[in-house]
Amino acid sequence: MMLRFLRIPAWPLTVTVPLLVAGLMIGVAVVISEIVVSRLIRDQETNLTLLANAYLDGLSAAVLPAVIRGDVWETFDALDRARGQYSGVEARYAIVALPNGTVLAASDPARFPIHSAVPAELHAKSPHDDGLVIDYDARRAWLSRGLRAEGFSVGRILVEIDIASLLHVRSQVVLTLILVNGSLALAFSLIGYFAVKYMLRPFGVLAQYVERVREGRAEPIPERHYKRVPAGFGQLFDRFNAMARAVSERESLASHLAEQEKYAMLGRLASGMAHEVNNPLGGMMNAIDTIQSHGDDPAVLSKSLEFLKRGLAGIRSVVRAALVTYKGGSDTSVLTPTDLDDLPFLVQHETGVRRLRLDWRNRVIEPLPINGPTVRQITLNLLLNACAASPVGGTIEVEASCLNGALRIAVSDHGPGLPDEMAGLLTSNGQMAAPTRDRKGLGLWTTAQLVGRLGGIVAIERPDVGTRVVVTLPLAKEGARHAA
Amino acid sequence: MRTADNKSGAPGVTCLRRSVLAGAAMAATLRMPRAARAADGFSFGLTPLFLDNDIELLSMLKQYLTKQLERPITLVKRRTYHEISAMLLSGQLDAAWICDDPYVQYQDKLALLAVPFYRQKPLYQSYVIVNENSKAQAFDDIRGTVHAFSDPDSTSGYLVTRWMLALRQITPARFFRDSFFTYGHRNVLRAVGADLAQSGSIDGYVWDVMAEREPDLVRKTRIIVKSEWLGFPPIVAPMAIRDAPAVKALAAALLEMPSDPLGRDILQVLALDGFVEGTPDMYQSTMEKWLLVKAQA
């Protein structure tokens, strides 16, 4: 969960962009600070070396005559007077060592008495040749300068320098850099946050209206949102509005076409029904004629009346199914087993003409909490589509079942198979635009819309022969149904 | 005007003629000093007494003497006592403030003009000092230490200590672990205070004055030996020109210094009460010490 939260693309732009700006600033600040500090360190070392050399030059010139004479006092006097004379070089002590390794004089005689041996530790720290050694951890630097007269070594100056002030300056610079760069990064982040938030406000409006499009309401962005948006977004809003109007018109056209399709289908059904009603009517008229002619014969009368009854029962089934489907029941929140069992009567004409065998398996045995008329419409559409796709004399299989809180309706045919674009219309869950060019697939698109409205899904299975369409529709909660 | 005769309490002294002079200095003494030749200038030599930074003192002294002698004054300062003594004996100086040691060495060639009057005496002492952390309490406790002398021609800064060693029939090289000259009493203080040397020989007058003016420096040292009272380093002129007007004027100017405002300022800087006329017998004790040391050498 945490990792998911940390996925940057999941964050709003108003957060990610300022964060990126802040990150960039911090990165730039770190690089700049690194460069400045590196340069400072280099310059400090260079300056320290120059100062140390100037210090040693002066000290060497001052002590050399005294060192040549072995004059303890004059050497000490020169070292003592040099103390504090060289700004930038804070010598903790200076020693003039003789070639034999003993101290001629030191600025701190109590620590380095005359004629005592120069401590080995100091020898180890000091540069072996003329130069400078810096130990930042110890906050000290050591200088060494050989004293030569007429080509002979007469001694060496060893100096320990306190570089705490140098490091203090460095830490001050680092602190200043951190404060300044940190403040700048924070300031730029805040500016970036508010600037981006202001700039992205139109995107929020746009996203809101795009979402409405996804919900099926293609509405143009009102004029009031055009105010206080950066230049360029007005044009974008115009384009969106043009698109929204186009979508709206397309939806309107699709609805109109669907309505026409519905009426066309209704016409087909009506003619089929008329055919189904008309078929028994001939026999029934014959039965009436038979009754009129041979009504005295009880056996003929009974047989004719039985024939009339069967004919009227068939007509009643067809009429009842049509009434339930196109007039609507009193309770639309429930699907009864009968609601499905009526459907074969509605497609009786289609199956009869093409001599199709309908393998009807309705395993729904009790009322289900789901919109019955919509389910009937979905099933009828799939059934009619299967009838159209099946070859003459083919078999259509319909199976309705309830499992794990969902209604499952599977319709199979032995046709040539549902084309991919048609299958796409069906499985789009109503998200695809309606086919308006040649009306082809309008029934499937309508079915997908209805399935999407009930929150269901459509799956297309392709067995060896034909197509199997499986619709899974979630049932409403019992409480919800009762509340409805 | 005060004289030292009735105040010093110094023993009588027999003037001993000095015949030991360096070749160049000896020859130079034969030359006529400038003060005797012409009245258009006067050179006055000064030994490094106690002040390192005495530019102001030299300025005041030059101004005072120029006014009193009514002629241009050249103040000559050198690093060592010997340089001033040699210049004086060679006729390059008309007068000088020298130490009592060179005075007794060349008493027959130098005329006493005036003696500083310090704390109501024309006398001073020599001190042997040690570093404040030293445990030494007496002179023999500083055996084996590094010792700082002031100047080979200084009574207080060398001769007295050398004399004490002569009484013990031992040389500085054997008594001390090491020794060196600092060519200035203030430098002795610095050397002992910094522990460059663990003991030192110093002018008592300098130590006392420095104790008031630079207590931080003096506090690092401690006196373990004070010598007897000795004749204060005098102002002298070559005997040959002792009666020259300029020389007499110099002596008068020094003796009358307390009566002049500028003179009083100079005395204040020097921490002196004034100058008095001196007599050779004031330096008898110094003479005896020099003779003993010379005999041992």
Side-chain angles (χ1 to χ4, degrees):
Chain A
M1 180 66 82
M2 181 61 75
L3 289 174
R4 215 163 153 190
F5 174 74
L6 290 175
R7 279 178 57 234
I8 288 179
W11 297 357
L13 277 177
T14 49
V15 174
T16 53
V17 173
L19 275 179
L20 285 173
V21 171
L24 198 62
M25 282 300 300
I26 290 169
V28 170
V30 167
V31 171
I32 289 175
S33 302
E34 176 64 25
I35 291 171
V36 170
V37 171
S38 301
R39 182 62 187 266
L40 177 68
I41 291 172
R42 206 163 55 241
D43 286 353
Q44 280 187 329
E45 288 181 359
T46 304
N47 289 337
L48 185 63
T49 304
L50 291 173
L51 287 169
N53 283 333
Y55 171 75
L56 288 173
D57 289 344
L59 209 56
S60 300
V63 302
L64 186 58
V67 174
I68 292 170
R69 292 195 308 271
D71 191 324
V72 172
W73 168 255
E74 289 295 324
T75 305
F76 169 78
D77 191 41
L79 296 177
D80 195 41
R81 288 179 190 279
R83 199 182 328 204
Q85 294 291 315
Y86 294 84
S87 58
V89 177
E90 295 179 36
R92 297 186 73 241
Y93 58 78
I95 299 172
V96 173
L98 294 171
N100 64 5
T102 60
V103 176
L104 174 63
S107 62
D108 186 356
R111 188 172 172 188
F112 305 103
I114 61 172
H115 303 318
S116 64
V118 175
E121 182 191 6
L122 181 57
H123 266 308
K125 289 176 180 172
S126 301
H128 296 299
D129 300 319
D130 295 357
L132 170 75
V133 169
I134 299 174
D135 185 342
Y136 288 111
D137 294 332
R139 295 174 171 264
R140 298 280 186 271
W142 290 272
L143 314 176
S144 177
R145 171 69 64 86
L147 297 170
R148 301 183 70 81
E150 299 174 9
F152 292 95
S153 172
V154 294
R156 178 166 288 276
I157 299 175
L158 303 171
V159 185
E160 182 178 296
I161 292 177
D162 188 344
I163 59 169
S165 60
L166 204 76
L167 297 179
H168 178 68
V169 169
R170 190 180 299 175
S171 64
Q172 288 290 313
V173 170
V174 171
L175 183 65
T176 305
L177 281 172
I178 289 172
L179 287 177
V180 170
N181 289 337
S183 303
L184 283 175
L186 184 63
F188 278 108
S189 300
L190 287 174
I191 291 170
Y193 172 76
F194 287 112
V196 170
K197 190 176 179 184
Y198 171 73
M199 287 189 289
L200 293 182
R201 188 185 298 164
F203 280 115
V205 174
L206 201 58
Q208 180 186 347
Y209 281 86
V210 167
E211 179 64 19
R212 291 185 186 181
V213 171
R214 196 183 70 80
E215 292 170 354
R217 293 180 293 144
E219 300 173 10
I221 297 171
E223 279 294 324
R224 59 188 166 84
H225 288 300
Y226 278 63
K227 299 173 183 173
R228 298 177 61 190
V229 295
F233 278 96
Q235 198 176 359
L236 185 62
F237 281 9
D238 286 341
R239 288 177 183 171
F240 172 81
N241 287 350
M243 184 200 74
R245 278 191 290 274
V247 169
S248 182
E249 287 169 5
R250 189 187 187 95
E251 293 295 321
S252 175
L253 179 61
S255 298
H256 182 66
L257 291 175
E259 195 68 18
Q260 284 184 345
E261 178 69 12
K262 184 178 174 182
Y263 286 127
M265 190 172 67
L266 188 59
R268 286 200 304 277
L269 282 173
S271 65
M273 283 171 60
H275 179 78
E276 292 304 316
V277 170
N278 188 52
N279 277 346
L281 278 181
M284 289 167 71
M285 289 300 292
N286 287 335
I288 289 171
D289 289 342
T290 303
I291 290 171
Q292 287 174 339
S293 304
H294 309 284
D296 298 335
D297 186 347
V300 172
L301 179 62
S302 175
K303 189 177 178 183
S304 298
L305 288 174
E306 186 64 27
F307 186 83
L308 279 173
K309 187 179 180 182
R310 282 204 306 274
L312 288 171
I315 291 169
R316 186 184 64 180
S317 296
V318 171
V319 170
R320 181 172 166 273
L323 279 174
V324 171
T325 303
Y326 294 103
K327 190 175 180 182
S330 57
D331 187 359
T332 58
S333 63
V334 173
L335 173 73
T336 62
T338 313
D339 289 339
L340 290 176
D341 286 336
D342 283 344
L343 294 178
F345 293 107
L346 289 177
V347 297
Q348 198 171 353
H349 175 68
E350 298 291 327
T351 54
V353 169
R354 301 174 68 94
R355 297 196 306 280
L356 299 174
R357 191 174 73 84
L358 179 59
D359 184 2
W360 183 264
R361 293 194 292 274
N362 181 10
R363 301 187 196 287
V364 176
I365 56 174
E366 60 180 358
L368 298 177
I370 193 167
N371 190 313
T374 305
V375 174
R376 281 170 59 86
Q377 185 69 47
I378 291 168
T379 311
L380 180 61
N381 284 0
L382 292 175
L383 199 51
L384 288 171
N385 191 66
C387 289
S390 292
V392 175
T395 300
I396 296 170
E397 297 165 1
V398 177
E399 182 180 0
S401 60
C402 180
L403 187 66
N404 297 330
L407 173 64
R408 182 172 176 276
I409 297 167
V411 179
S412 305
D413 64 61
H414 289 179
L418 193 63
D420 288 341
E421 63 271 22
M422 295 295 117
L425 278 175
L426 201 52
T427 56
S428 67
N429 207 22
Q431 300 298 314
M432 283 183 70
T436 55
R437 186 169 298 172
D438 54 3
R439 294 188 178 186
K440 196 174 179 184
L442 201 57
L444 292 177
W445 179 79
T446 307
T447 303
Q449 291 282 322
L450 295 173
V451 172
R453 200 176 299 167
L454 292 182
I457 55 171
V458 179
I460 306 294
E461 297 175 5
R462 298 183 186 280
D464 293 339
V465 178
T467 306
R468 180 180 169 86
V469 180
V470 181
V471 176
T472 305
L473 303 166
L475 299 178
K477 304 285 184 188
E478 281 296 315
R481 182 171 71 87
H482 291 310
Chain B
M1 185 179 294
R2 289 170 290 218
T3 62
D5 293 342
N6 57 350
K7 291 181 180 175
S8 67
V13 62
T14 303
C15 281
L16 298 178
R17 305 183 74 81
R18 301 286 141 252
S19 58
V20 183
L21 285 173
M26 177 74 82
T29 54
L30 301 176
R31 297 190 315 185
M32 185 66 74
R34 287 187 303 167
R37 294 197 308 266
D40 57 350
F42 193 90
S43 57
F44 185 53
L46 295 163
T47 52
L49 192 56
F50 66 90
L51 298 171
D52 265 9
N53 185 13
D54 50 9
I55 303 297
E56 184 186 6
L57 173 65
L58 293 176
S59 173
M60 292 163 65
L61 191 60
K62 185 174 183 178
Q63 187 183 347
Y64 176 75
L65 293 179
T66 300
K67 186 180 73 173
Q68 296 295 323
L69 272 63
E70 296 179 337
R71 66 182 65 197
I73 299 294
T74 302
L75 297 180
V76 179
K77 194 165 178 283
R78 290 292 182 269
R79 179 169 171 263
T80 65
Y81 289 13
H82 178 76
E83 290 173 90
I84 293 296
S85 302
M87 289 180 74
L88 183 65
L89 294 170
S90 65
Q92 296 178 60
L93 298 175
D94 296 316
W97 188 353
I98 64 172
C99 191
D100 43 329
D101 183 354
Y103 170 67
V104 299
Q105 290 183 49
Y106 306 112
Q107 211 170 34
D108 56 336
K109 295 188 169 46
L110 300 172
L112 269 176
L113 300 183
V115 179
F117 204 58
Y118 171 61
R119 295 184 178 175
Q120 301 305 311
K121 292 178 186 173
L123 306 173
Y124 78 122
Q125 288 172 293
S126 171
Y127 294 166
V128 175
I129 59 174
V130 293
N131 185 275
E132 59 176 339
N133 298 320
S134 171
K135 293 178 180 174
Q137 298 296 328
F139 184 80
D140 288 315
D141 293 339
I142 63 173
R143 180 189 288 268
T145 61
V146 175
H147 193 84
F149 289 113
S150 175
D151 189 287
D153 283 340
S154 166
T155 303
S156 57
Y158 180 70
L159 181 63
V160 173
T161 301
R162 188 75 176 79
W163 171 71
M164 286 192 284
L165 292 175
L167 292 177
R168 290 166 174 77
Q169 297 186 336
I170 192 169
T171 61
R174 289 173 56 201
F175 187 78
F176 297 116
R177 180 158 62 88
D178 200 353
S179 65
F180 54 83
F181 290 100
T182 66
Y183 299 99
H185 291 293
R186 189 175 183 277
N187 290 342
V188 173
L189 263 178
R190 286 174 58 204
V192 177
D195 218 13
L196 182 68
Q198 288 76 55
S199 59
S201 300
I202 190 172
D203 189 316
Y205 153 72
V206 173
W207 196 94
D208 290 339
V209 174
M210 295 291 287
E212 296 172 3
R213 298 183 180 176
E214 293 188 65
D216 290 342
L217 179 58
V218 175
R219 199 178 295 128
K220 295 175 183 172
T221 63
R222 179 166 52 84
I223 301 166
I224 58 166
V225 175
K226 287 186 177 181
S227 73
E228 62 185 292
W229 290 100
L230 303 165
F232 213 101
I235 288 87
V236 298
M239 192 68 81
I241 58 167
R242 63 180 302 175
D243 295 325
V247 174
K248 285 185 174 296
L250 174 66
L254 293 173
L255 296 174
E256 292 168 5
M257 201 173 268
S259 61
D260 183 90
L262 183 57
R264 284 195 293 274
D265 291 343
I266 294 168
L267 291 174
Q268 190 178 2
V269 172
L270 289 169
L272 294 175
D273 299 324
F275 289 88
V276 296
E277 291 178 346
T279 57
D281 59 352
M282 292 166 58
Y283 299 94
Q284 179 61 31
S285 181
T286 306
M287 175 68 80
E288 289 171 357
K289 289 178 174 51
W290 179 74
L291 287 174
L292 180 62
V293 170
K294 182 187 170 193
Q296 190 192 47

